[in-house]
Amino acid sequence: MAESAVRPASGIGRNRMLKIIGIVLASVAALVLAAVIGLNLYVRVAFGSFYNQAEREFAIPGVDSGFVCQDLDHLQGSDAWLFSGYMVDNGPSPLYRRAVDGAIARLLVQTPDGELYQGHGSAITSADQYAYLACEEGYLVLDAEEVATAADGATVRALARVELDFSPAFMNIEGDMLLTGEFYFPGDYETPESHRIATPDGTENPAVMYAYPLDPNAPFGVAALPERVYSIPGMIQGVCTAGENRLVLSQSYGVAPSHLLAYDIAHLAPSGTFTADGAEVPLYCLDSRSLGADVEAPPMAEGIESYDGRVYVSDESASNKYFFGKLYGAGVVYSLAMEG
């Protein structure tokens, strides 16, 4: 009789405990949902100027598989998109290719000496015949047709490695120029003293960007010497054009707001010269005198690309490394019109 009296009490206790656990889990889920909704509202309001102009285009491949996207490129001819970056697990750094129909291919790259590329993947760009992938103190030259047609899982071997004066943090072919520059952040990413230039508006730019002419007669389609050098602000992650006479730079670092800086360069005059690759070339300073627009964007905006009259923006915050961008939909490419 005593034994049968204990059992119901024990069952009631278990049910009560399960009910309490259910209430706690439901409360936690509600708090998480509220936090996600609140974060989305905050981001949409805080960066309203960006979202009011921007359109969602397509998902960044690999963000849920350890890929940290650093740049994007519209691959001429195939109408596909390329994405470069690195892996959280420090494995070989892949290229992702997104076809017009949305099909994704993941490719690995070999250096000319046969080693798998494990670089930062800070930049990928292409012209008719070649694609150019940033590496330490230069870039790798790839066959653009091979990159466009290689099967998912294939490895493509670089044709050559081209050395530069610095390790490129960003790189883009715009018109008849290859634009490539360095990244500066005090303490963590320093630049040579000679690259820190006092600009005519009284500020100091701590980095430079070289402009190399495309030349069909030069090895791999790019002239050996730059035509000009631009003095640029710090924390620049990407470059593209927006119309014939406007240069756009993406600026970001950490969780601070990103900026899309649009410079009107039609009437920009040289500010002396700069020694680049051993040659004296004209120096142009990008500062407040030519800044035509500054669009504040969500954190960790990376590479940018000009296509079909719009600026396409990639982001790394939704990768598994940082994660927080997943909570407000940063794992997609956005585009916006930035012509003056």
Side-chain angles (χ1 to χ4, degrees), residues 66-141:
F67 179 64
V68 185
C69 180
Q70 298 295 289
D71 196 20
L72 78 170
D73 174 67
H74 181 259
L75 187 60
Q76 297 180 17
S78 71
D79 211 26
W81 286 86
L82 297 178
F83 297 83
S84 64
Y86 62 94
M87 297 299 295
V88 173
D89 63 3
N90 296 316
S93 304
L95 288 178
Y96 279 91
R97 186 186 68 225
R98 183 189 188 277
V100 177
D101 63 2
I104 302 298
R106 185 181 188 273
L107 310 175
L108 295 181
V109 176
Q110 278 184 330
T111 63
D113 59 9
E115 297 292 325
L116 284 177
Y117 172 76
Q118 286 186 274
H120 194 66
S122 59
I124 181 71
T125 189
S126 61
D128 293 335
Q129 190 175 354
Y130 302 108
Y132 308 89
L133 174 64
C135 64
E136 192 71 19
E137 296 183 346
Y139 58 84
L140 300 175
V141 182

Side-chain angles (χ1 to χ4, degrees), residues 55-315:
E55 295 181 4
R56 291 171 61 99
E57 296 292 346
F58 42 77
I60 299 172
V63 293
D64 295 321
S65 304
F67 179 64
V68 185
C69 180
Q70 298 295 289
D71 196 20
L72 78 170
D73 174 67
H74 181 259
L75 187 60
Q76 297 180 17
S78 71
D79 211 26
W81 286 86
L82 297 178
F83 297 83
S84 64
Y86 62 94
M87 297 299 295
V88 173
D89 63 3
N90 296 316
S93 304
L95 288 178
Y96 279 91
R97 186 186 68 225
R98 183 189 188 277
V100 177
D101 63 2
I104 302 298
R106 185 181 188 273
L107 310 175
L108 295 181
V109 176
Q110 278 184 330
T111 63
D113 59 9
E115 297 292 325
L116 284 177
Y117 172 76
Q118 286 186 274
H120 194 66
S122 59
I124 181 71
T125 189
S126 61
D128 293 335
Q129 190 175 354
Y130 302 108
Y132 308 89
L133 174 64
C135 64
E136 192 71 19
E137 296 183 346
Y139 58 84
L140 300 175
V141 182
L142 309 175
D143 183 287
E145 183 176 357
E146 183 180 8
V147 171
T149 58
D152 180 30
T155 298
V156 296
R157 188 160 181 165
L159 304 173
R161 182 183 185 281
V162 177
E163 293 188 358
L164 297 176
D165 276 357
F166 50 82
S167 294
F170 59 90
M171 188 166 62
N172 214 344
I173 289 176
E174 293 289 358
D176 60 355
M177 289 285 175
L178 170 65
L179 302 170
T180 181
E182 60 191 349
F183 182 90
Y184 172 86
F185 187 82
D188 294 328
Y189 298 94
E190 296 287 345
T191 54
E193 192 66 35
S194 60
H195 293 193
R196 302 174 194 180
I197 295 168
T199 66
D201 75 347
T203 59
E204 181 183 86
N205 279 343
V208 294
M209 175 174 70
Y210 287 16
Y212 291 91
L214 298 187
D215 182 355
N217 298 314
F220 308 111
V222 180
L225 296 176
E227 178 184 278
R228 61 180 62 187
V229 167
Y230 291 95
S231 170
I232 61 173
M235 302 183 294
I236 300 303
Q237 303 274 13
V239 62
C240 72
T241 57
E244 186 176 353
N245 294 307
R246 180 169 269 204
L247 273 178
V248 181
L249 303 178
S250 64
Q251 182 184 58
S252 71
Y253 188 73
V255 296
S258 304
H259 292 266
L260 299 175
L261 307 172
Y263 293 91
D264 297 317
I265 60 172
H267 306 294
L268 196 63
S271 300
T273 61
F274 186 90
T275 304
D277 294 326
E280 290 290 320
V281 298
L283 173 69
Y284 295 81
C285 293
L286 299 181
D287 58 18
S288 62
R289 299 167 305 146
S290 56
L291 183 62
D294 178 354
V295 178
E296 194 171 70
M300 295 190 174
E302 288 286 329
I304 53 179
E305 171 77 336
S306 175
Y307 173 67
D308 200 23
R310 299 180 69 80
V311 173
Y312 284 64
V313 185
S314 62
D315 194 291

